[in-house]
Amino acid sequence: MKKEFLDLNRQPIANKFLREDEFEDEFFYNLKVVFDDDTKLVSLKDFVKPELMFNDDYVYHTSLSVPMIKHFKETAEMLMKEFNPSTVMEIGSNDGVFLKNWNNDNTIGVEPCGNFAKVTENMGYQTYSEFWTTELSEKIKNDGHVDFDLIYAANCICHIQDLDDCFSAIKNILSEKGTFVFEDPSLLKMMERGSYDQIYDEHAHIFSVTALDNILKKNGLKIFRADNLSVHGGSNRIYVSHLPPEPYTFFRYRPVELSVRENLQREDDFGLNEFKTHQDFTKRVEKSKNDLVELLTKLKDDGKRIMSIGATSKSTTVFNYCGIDGLLIECITDTTPDKQGMYSPGSHIPVVDRESVNLNDYDYVFLGAWNFKEVITDKEKDFIENGGKFITHVPGVTVFT
Ligand code: JHZ
């Protein structure tokens, strides 16, 4: 029942920044996207082996995106206030930005990237450096952990290819009254904004509330609240509890709040349950590509200099889908030290430290991290005052100051 609607061409590992001597052996795969008529889930047609993406060399540090530190602190405070959990587990704990807001005696992390697991172990949080599976949930129980009152995951569940196993593992280790909260990019927002660059190897699925509702129910869980967030270009925060085992036990469980019905309705109204809507999205993606290539080529022909800010996973999709390389975009700046001095995946554009570049040497800056548009344009006021212009492709290809 899976129907293909989008082909984003040959793509590299989105976060595998390379040295020049690694170009020849770079791994590529075909990035195609499918819609499942049964569950309404949007997923990659062919998944990439998780170990190729999430390993000891993983470069995305949550703590290096300053606005996200505030986001996770506020999230932890809110969850603490509302649920007051005795035991907490984070899946995909990265470098500990969320964990550090919790007491380390009753909080654990799960993080397959060994470099990050070491960081959170050093912060005093027991961290399982493994992929999240039912087998791991059993191991955690066998190690003597009681079921968790709060399980949290940000930008992680959509990375997990086998969702049935993922959710049955949650069910296995969530306390009877416990809450599972997770946030990931929203399919509706992606469709509304034309931000096809949310699609890359790590994002095995782009979630709608509808698809999650269907799949969670199959696994004995239910959504009781769905919040819409502005982070990462529009995300949904999903609150989950056990599905009452028998109808007459429902009063012991959280009631489903209005926000769930509202989200399901909004998605249905937009047409997310129809394959045709996904096919229409493809036309918009193709237009975005043509507009961007046309604009950059024209600017280059006119002798303009263009660079980019934010060596994101998202820009890996854009550059490789659109065939943009170092001839069109001369360099990318990024705040992540592990990306600096390397080349961008597939497109091989040099990635450098922001401090090493005089932005006023360039006429245009492409926003690779368009989700941080306000923060970046605010920081780069001087560039705008000197006549510089920004380019973004979300929601449509535009030049702005
Ligand atoms: P950012 C990653 O995606 C990968 P990416 C992952 N799969 C995911 O789901 C999301 O994160 C959450 C830099 N930067 O957050 C820092 C500047 O240079 O959009 C980051 O490298 N200057 C886990 O890579 C990048 O941009 C700045 O002023 O698409 C932003 O990456 C700011 C604010 C950021 O995620």
Side-chain angles (χ1 to χ4, degrees):
M1 297 304 277
K2 289 186 182 156
K3 296 178 180 165
E4 182 182 322
F5 65 93
L6 180 60
D7 183 347
L8 291 168
N9 299 347
R10 187 173 166 266
Q11 293 279 347
I13 299 293
N15 265 311
K16 175 79 185 89
F17 291 80
L18 316 114
R19 296 185 309 267
E20 214 167 333
D21 62 2
E22 293 175 308
F23 289 176
E24 223 170 277
D25 297 326
E26 190 168 14
F27 173 87
F28 286 91
Y29 67 101
N30 291 317
L31 180 55
K32 293 182 179 175
V33 191
V34 293
F35 172 73
D36 184 337
D37 246 342
D38 287 337
T39 60
K40 313 300 176 200
L41 180 67
V42 166
S43 309
L44 304 193
K45 185 174 183 196
D46 300 306
F47 296 133
V48 171
K49 235 172 133 213
E51 293 78 5
L52 288 177
M53 302 177 277
F54 308 111
N55 48 48
D56 294 359
D57 298 325
Y58 192 64
V59 288
Y60 179 80
H61 291 63
T62 309
S63 64
L64 291 175
S65 281
V66 177
M68 295 314 290
I69 300 176
K70 185 167 171 269
H71 171 76
F72 289 115
K73 185 168 187 292
E74 287 171 358
T75 303
E77 283 166 1
M78 178 276 290
L79 293 171
M80 170 84 80
K81 203 165 153 207
E82 179 163 1
F83 300 107
N84 193 21
S86 304
T87 46
V88 179
M89 169 167 68
E90 184 183 14
I91 307 173
S93 44
N94 199 273
D95 57 358
V97 178
F98 177 79
L99 280 187
K100 73 176 181 194
N101 299 291
W102 301 87
N103 181 334
N104 46 17
D105 288 341
N106 40 26
T107 304
I108 69 164
V110 171
E111 175 51 67
C113 304
N115 50 339
F116 295 134
K118 246 184 241 149
V119 172
T120 49
E121 277 286 345
N122 289 337
M123 288 161 66
Y125 297 95
Q126 183 186 8
T127 308
Y128 288 85
S129 190
E130 290 180 46
F131 289 101
W132 178 248
T133 57
T134 305
E135 207 181 319
L136 178 60
S137 72
E138 274 304 310
K139 180 170 162 188
I140 295 174
K141 275 170 166 279
N142 290 338
D143 283 352
H145 287 285
V146 294
D147 287 350
F148 289 88
D149 291 340
L150 175 69
I151 302 177
Y152 179 74
N155 302 300
C156 171
I157 301 300
C158 76
H159 296 171
I160 299 178
Q161 299 170 1
D162 184 345
L163 291 177
D164 287 327
D165 181 70
C166 166
F167 293 143
S168 66
I170 298 282
K171 171 107 188 137
N172 190 28
I173 205 163
L174 183 68
S175 68
E176 196 195 359
K177 297 244 166 184
T179 312
F180 167 41
V181 180
F182 66 106
E183 51 191 77
D184 287 294
S186 147
L187 179 69
L188 179 62
K189 280 285 166 256
M190 181 186 96
M191 293 261 176
E192 282 176 350
R193 294 188 171 158
S195 49
Y196 67 89
D197 51 354
Q198 292 287 7
I199 304 168
Y200 49 88
D201 53 356
E202 292 179 16
H203 287 176
H205 319 279
I206 307 289
F207 290 141
S208 60
V209 180
T210 309
L212 286 171
D213 197 46
N214 291 334
I215 301 165
L216 283 158
K217 270 190 194 137
K218 262 206 304 175
N219 288 286
L221 296 164
K222 72 158 204 278
I223 303 179
F224 69 84
R225 183 186 301 161
D227 286 346
N228 308 120
L229 313 176
S230 61
V231 292
H232 288 299
S235 300
N236 290 327
R237 180 180 288 151
I238 307 292
Y239 295 70
V240 172
S241 66
H242 286 282
L243 198 61
E246 306 291 344
Y248 56 81
T249 59
F250 75 92
F251 60 87
R252 297 205 333 249
Y253 294 83
R254 284 187 163 269
V256 176
E257 298 174 14
L258 187 61
S259 60
V260 179
R261 195 149 32 92
E262 284 172 348
N263 271 279
L264 296 177
Q265 188 63 53
R266 215 175 298 134
E267 292 182 352
D268 193 33
D269 291 346
F270 186 85
L272 282 194
N273 297 333
E274 307 301 323
F275 184 58
K276 162 104 182 30
T277 309
H278 298 75
Q279 289 174 307
D280 291 346
F281 178 69
T282 297
K283 289 182 204 138
R284 183 164 175 190
V285 174
E286 285 162 356
K287 178 170 175 1
S288 174
K289 170 183 176 168
N290 294 338
D291 289 352
L292 184 61
V293 172
E294 194 183 312
L295 173 68
L296 296 181
T297 313
K298 181 175 181 314
L299 293 175
K300 203 72 208 172
D301 289 348
D302 291 347
K304 304 294 183 200
R305 295 189 68 190
I306 313 162
M307 56 84 70
S308 178
I309 294 183
T312 58
S313 319
K314 296 183 286 289
S315 55
T316 296
T317 295
V318 176
F319 294 159
N320 286 280
Y321 174 57
C322 299
I324 293 165
D325 60 13
L327 293 175
L328 285 178
I329 292 193
E330 293 181 41
C331 68
I332 310 171
T333 65
D334 198 282
T335 47
T336 313
D338 289 346
K339 296 181 186 176
Q340 296 162 3
M342 308 290 268
Y343 290 85
S344 64
S347 51
H348 303 165
I349 302 171
V351 181
V352 294
D353 178 7
R354 169 68 190 86
E355 303 314 312
S356 68
V357 174
N358 180 359
L359 232 52
N360 296 324
D361 290 343
Y362 294 86
D363 302 289
Y364 291 84
V365 169
F366 175 75
L367 274 181
W370 55 264
N371 44 318
F372 293 119
K373 178 178 171 186
E374 280 75 29
V375 181
I376 294 172
T377 50
D378 206 47
K379 265 199 266 183
E380 306 298 356
K381 277 196 194 107
D382 181 51
F383 168 66
I384 300 172
E385 275 158 22
N386 280 295
K389 294 187 173 73
F390 283 96
I391 300 171
T392 185
H393 66 292
V394 177
V397 174
T398 339
V399 173
F400 67 96
T401 52

